[in-house]
Amino acid sequence: MKKLLAILGMITCMIGLTACGSSKETTSTPVSEEQLIQSCEQTVASMQQIVNLGAEEQYVNDDVIYTGLTGYKSALEDIGDYQGTNGGSVIFNDDEIIININVLGSKHNAVVEIMLNGDASECTSIATNVTYSLGEKMQKAALNTLLGMGTVFVVLILISLIISAFGLISKVQGSKKKPEETKAEKVDNVVAQIMEKEELSDDLELVAVISAAIAAYEGSGSTDGFVVRSIRKANKSKWQNA
């Protein structure tokens, strides 16, 4: 039974679209606005039947009709219960005809926009636009603004956290380098001690003479009170300036 109803709904929709697509009479006079509105109201009623039956997948090969049906089905969430149509309006342009059909719903009203080519021989687009109140539009705009600003702030916080993490990384790397530097200093100290010992071993006689001279100058007969660790050449320029 459901399959039969789906077929009947499909045939009804195709009849409505065909009637909607009739462009000229035998006398080559344009179709009146009333005829276009009446045909498109039938098309909207057929769309409602097809969506109720869940038979929109049968039109997947026709992009225009399938897109119109899926858009209408999504809009029904805001429209609510379908309560029929209430006329519409027609706009004639050079290369297209736009028919707007008013749809009545339990939650919101809507406008189904059906576009035909210039000679009304083909339907080029079907779209459903829900009619919201000014307060609802302002509410949605405010929510979109808050969402956008919140996203920006979250991104800025993430960037600040990443930048602060760079400082922690540099501190960790610095703490790892300090033990290496102390090891290098220890090596330098050992080398310096070895060099001092080598210098003293080469000038033992000079060390003895200097030690005796220092002991005589201080008036002590022994060199036990001090130790000569290194001997370095003095800067001659300083002595000459003195």
Side-chain angles (χ1 to χ4, degrees):
M1 184 65 181
K2 289 184 178 179
K3 186 175 181 181
L4 178 60
L5 291 175
I7 295 173
L8 291 175
M10 180 175 63
I11 293 172
T12 305
C13 181
M14 293 303 297
I15 293 173
L17 290 176
T18 303
C20 183
S22 298
S23 60
K24 296 183 181 180
E25 299 177 353
T26 55
T27 57
S28 299
T29 57
V31 179
S32 66
E33 293 186 11
E34 293 180 357
Q35 289 175 328
L36 289 172
I37 292 173
Q38 184 178 2
S39 297
C40 290
E41 282 183 321
Q42 294 175 0
T43 301
V44 173
S46 300
M47 292 171 59
Q48 178 66 32
Q49 292 178 6
I50 293 171
V51 170
N52 286 339
L53 295 172
E56 60 272 7
E57 294 297 331
Q58 296 182 16
Y59 298 91
V60 69
N61 294 326
D62 192 323
D63 293 337
V64 174
I65 298 177
Y66 183 72
T67 302
L69 289 171
T70 54
Y72 181 78
K73 183 177 181 179
S74 300
L76 283 177
E77 297 178 0
D78 292 333
I79 294 172
D81 295 332
Y82 174 75
Q83 297 178 349
T85 59
N86 185 23
S89 61
V90 180
I91 301 174
F92 291 96
N93 295 325
D94 294 337
D95 55 350
E96 64 181 4
I97 302 173
I98 303 173
I99 303 98
N100 294 316
I101 302 299
N102 300 321
V103 178
L104 304 178
S106 60
K107 295 181 180 178
H108 297 89
N109 295 334
V111 175
V112 176
E113 183 185 76
I114 300 175
M115 297 181 63
L116 309 176
N117 58 0
D119 57 1
S121 61
E122 183 181 0
C123 184
T124 59
S125 174
I126 301 174
T128 304
N129 302 312
V130 180
T131 304
Y132 298 101
S133 64
L134 180 60
E136 290 173 332
K137 292 179 180 179
M138 294 295 292
Q139 184 178 3
K140 286 189 175 183
L143 290 175
N144 291 333
T145 302
L146 290 175
L147 181 61
M149 293 178 64
T151 304
V152 171
F153 279 116
V154 169
V155 172
L156 291 175
I157 291 171
L158 290 175
I159 293 173
S160 62
L161 291 175
I162 293 172
I163 293 173
S164 60
F166 288 156
L168 294 175
I169 293 172
S170 62
K171 288 181 180 179
V172 171
Q173 291 179 347
S175 61
K176 290 182 179 179
K177 289 181 179 179
K178 286 182 179 179
E180 297 178 356
E181 293 176 354
T182 54
K183 290 181 181 179
E185 291 177 356
K186 289 181 180 179
V187 173
D188 293 339
N189 292 332
V190 173
V191 173
Q193 291 177 3
I194 295 172
M195 291 178 65
E196 289 178 358
K197 290 181 180 180
E198 290 179 353
E199 290 178 359
L200 290 174
S201 62
D202 293 338
D203 300 326
L204 292 177
E205 295 181 356
L206 182 58
V207 169
V209 173
I210 293 174
S211 299
I214 294 173
Y217 177 78
E218 292 181 351
S220 61
S222 173
T223 61
D224 295 336
F226 60 90
V227 177
V228 178
R229 295 187 179 277
S230 63
I231 301 172
R232 296 179 182 177
K233 294 182 179 180
N235 192 354
K236 295 181 179 181
S237 60
K238 292 182 179 180
W239 288 99
Q240 291 174 358
N241 293 331

